[in-house]
């Protein structure tokens, strides 16, 4: 089967010392969110890569997934180019992914995620392996691990990254598409966990510590899996960043919400970019909160951020 990769910076200019490029990667699902006002490009890893790229520059920021051999795949490529987002998207004989998104009165989305689609079948090829070996940071979730093909690709990618790679597990529980084994293996491979309060309750029940309060659950997970950071978002009730011996809390700004699609991904992308740029955790946390609040005021997951957010 022929695979086609498009719009991919596999051989960017090297630095003055000839050093290899380092990539910031969103790995997993690339799909279309079918919203009431029309379809918009989405998928948490692509959203992460897009928002990280708004701070770090797009040259070495890349979304890795898979596309079908259909018209929607061509639209995906065009949309990524419009957003100045690099991609590595091998073609596979499955339909390009879509998600039906329904919003409630508060703009909170629910998702109907189509199964057996292209991003369930991401192959681990030589191009993806090359990116992994030169990866500076990667964000992955549980959703793209629902099928064994993409799950094995994600594991092989993570295992091939350099020792200093920032590996963010944005847990992103959706419908029934997760298991205890998937979550445990992901926690063992990451060094930063991003989770929301509802997911934390589910994980507490699944792993057998439901009686602990929110903070103690987070401290327990941080220590048990030897994480560098645990990021907990609680919607309108603020957010936390736990690091060994320290906790940062930020209130959630009050804004007029258009929709919340992609807000969490913008939080993760901007937080990661700030950490990679050497910002202190508290400063990175504050930026992430402000960015995600702004994204909530916009329609869709990939708005252009105002220059006031730039480093």
């Amino acid at each position: 089967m022929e695979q086609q990769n498009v719009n991919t910076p596999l051989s960017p200019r090297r630095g003055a010392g000839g050093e290899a490029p380092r990539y910031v990667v969103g790995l997993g699902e690339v799909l279309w969110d079918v919203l009431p006002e029309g379809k918009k490009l989405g998928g948490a890893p692509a959203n992460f890569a897009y928002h990280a790229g708004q701070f770090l520059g797009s040259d070495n920021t890349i979304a890795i997934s898979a596309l079908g051999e259909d018209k929607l795949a061509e639209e995906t490529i065009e949309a990524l180019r419009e957003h100045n987002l690099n991609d590595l998207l091998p073609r596979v004989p499955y339909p390009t992914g879509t998600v039906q998104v329904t919003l409630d009165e508060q703009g909170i989305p629910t998702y109907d995620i189509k199964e057996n689609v292209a991003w369930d079948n991401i192959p681990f090829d030589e191009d993806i392996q090359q990116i992994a070996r030169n990866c500076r940071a990667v964000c992955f979730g549980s959703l793209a691990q629902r099928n064994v093909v993409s799950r094995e690709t994600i594991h092989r990618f993570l295992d091939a990254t350099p020792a200093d790679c920032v590996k963010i597990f944005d847990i992103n529980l959706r419908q029934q598409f997760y298991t205890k084994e998937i979550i445990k293996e992901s926690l063992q491979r990451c060094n930063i966990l991003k989770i929301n309060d509802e997911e934390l309750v589910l994980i507490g029940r699944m792993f057998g510590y439901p009686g602990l309060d929110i903070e103690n659950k987070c401290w327990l997970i941080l220590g048990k899996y030897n994480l560098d950071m645990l990021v907990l978002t609680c919607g309108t009730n603020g957010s936390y960043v736990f690091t060994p011996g320290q906790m940062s809390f930020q209130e959630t700004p009050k804004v007029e919400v258009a929709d919340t699609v992609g807000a969490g991904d913008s939080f993760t992308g901007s937080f990661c970019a700030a950490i990679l740029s050497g910002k202190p955790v508290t400063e990175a946390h504050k930026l992430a909160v402000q960015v995600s609040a702004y994204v909530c005021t916009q329609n869709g997951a990939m708005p252009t951020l105002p220059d006031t957010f730039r480093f």
Side-chain angles (χ1 to χ4, degrees):
M1 179 185 65
E2 181 181 358
Q3 295 176 357
Q4 179 183 359
N5 300 325
V6 294
N7 199 26
T8 307
L10 291 177
S11 301
R13 292 187 300 273
R14 292 174 177 261
E19 69 275 7
R22 298 293 302 274
Y23 297 98
V24 176
V25 177
L27 174 61
E29 64 273 16
V30 168
L31 46 81
W32 288 86
D33 291 318
V34 184
L35 297 154
E37 69 272 15
K39 70 179 187 294
K40 293 184 180 292
L41 184 66
N47 296 339
F48 163 85
Y50 170 75
H51 286 289
Q54 291 199 82
F55 292 93
L56 299 173
S58 61
D59 285 352
N60 293 331
T61 308
I62 186 167
I64 297 179
S65 186
L67 294 177
E69 298 164 337
D70 50 24
K71 182 180 177 183
L72 200 55
E74 301 301 329
E75 292 183 37
T76 305
I77 294 164
E78 185 62 32
L80 290 171
R81 287 175 177 162
E82 288 176 1
H83 285 91
N84 200 30
L85 179 57
N86 294 306
D87 59 73
L88 182 52
L89 301 171
R91 299 294 187 92
V92 294
Y94 299 87
T96 298
T98 58
V99 178
Q100 191 72 40
V101 183
T102 306
L103 303 175
D104 66 15
E105 293 179 357
Q106 285 75 46
I108 307 299
T110 55
Y111 305 91
D112 178 17
I113 306 169
K114 305 306 179 186
E115 297 186 61
N116 202 28
V117 293
W119 57 261
D120 286 315
N121 296 278
I122 306 168
F124 189 76
D125 59 21
E126 291 182 6
D127 289 337
I128 290 177
Q129 186 176 50
Q130 179 185 340
I131 299 291
R133 287 172 175 166
N134 294 287
C135 188
R136 187 182 183 197
V138 56
C139 183
F140 68 102
S142 60
L143 179 57
Q145 297 185 63
R146 66 182 182 177
N147 184 55
V148 64
V149 175
S150 289
R151 181 163 68 250
E152 289 182 354
T153 291
I154 290 170
H155 288 179
R156 292 177 69 184
F157 185 101
L158 295 169
D159 293 347
T161 57
D164 64 347
C165 180
V166 175
K167 292 175 281 192
I168 304 169
F169 178 36
D170 188 351
I171 193 165
N172 204 20
L173 301 181
R174 293 285 183 260
Q175 295 174 209
Q176 75 281 11
F177 300 127
Y178 58 91
T179 65
K180 182 176 180 179
E181 181 182 3
I182 286 172
I183 293 167
K184 184 176 180 180
E185 289 187 355
S186 298
L187 286 169
Q188 291 170 340
R189 282 179 164 88
C190 75
N191 43 43
I192 298 178
L193 171 64
K194 160 84 180 317
I195 191 168
N196 67 34
D197 51 350
E198 294 179 355
E199 292 166 340
L200 185 64
V201 171
L202 290 172
I203 296 306
R205 290 172 183 163
M206 185 179 291
F207 284 87
Y209 34 86
L212 297 176
D213 62 23
I214 283 179
E215 291 187 20
N216 281 324
K217 278 191 181 80
C218 291
W219 288 122
L220 177 62
I221 294 170
L222 185 80
K224 182 177 178 62
Y225 293 97
N226 195 28
L227 302 176
D228 294 330
M229 299 181 201
L230 187 153
V231 180
L232 172 68
T233 58
C234 303
T236 59
N237 294 318
S239 58
Y240 302 79
V241 179
F242 296 84
T243 58
Q246 186 177 3
M247 181 189 76
S248 168
F249 173 79
Q250 288 283 333
E251 293 184 355
T252 301
K254 291 185 171 132
V255 296
E256 186 173 339
V257 175
D259 68 57
T260 62
V261 178
D265 306 323
S266 71
F267 185 113
T268 313
S270 54
F271 181 81
C272 177
I275 292 296
L276 292 177
S277 299
K279 306 293 184 186
V281 168
T282 52
E283 190 175 331
H285 187 190
K286 184 176 181 179
L287 173 72
V289 167
Q290 292 171 340
V291 168
S292 61
Y294 174 79
V295 171
C296 285
T297 69
Q298 307 296 302
N299 288 316
M302 295 186 182
T304 300
L305 296 176
D307 288 341
T308 52
F309 285 120
R310 300 293 192 269
F311 297 149

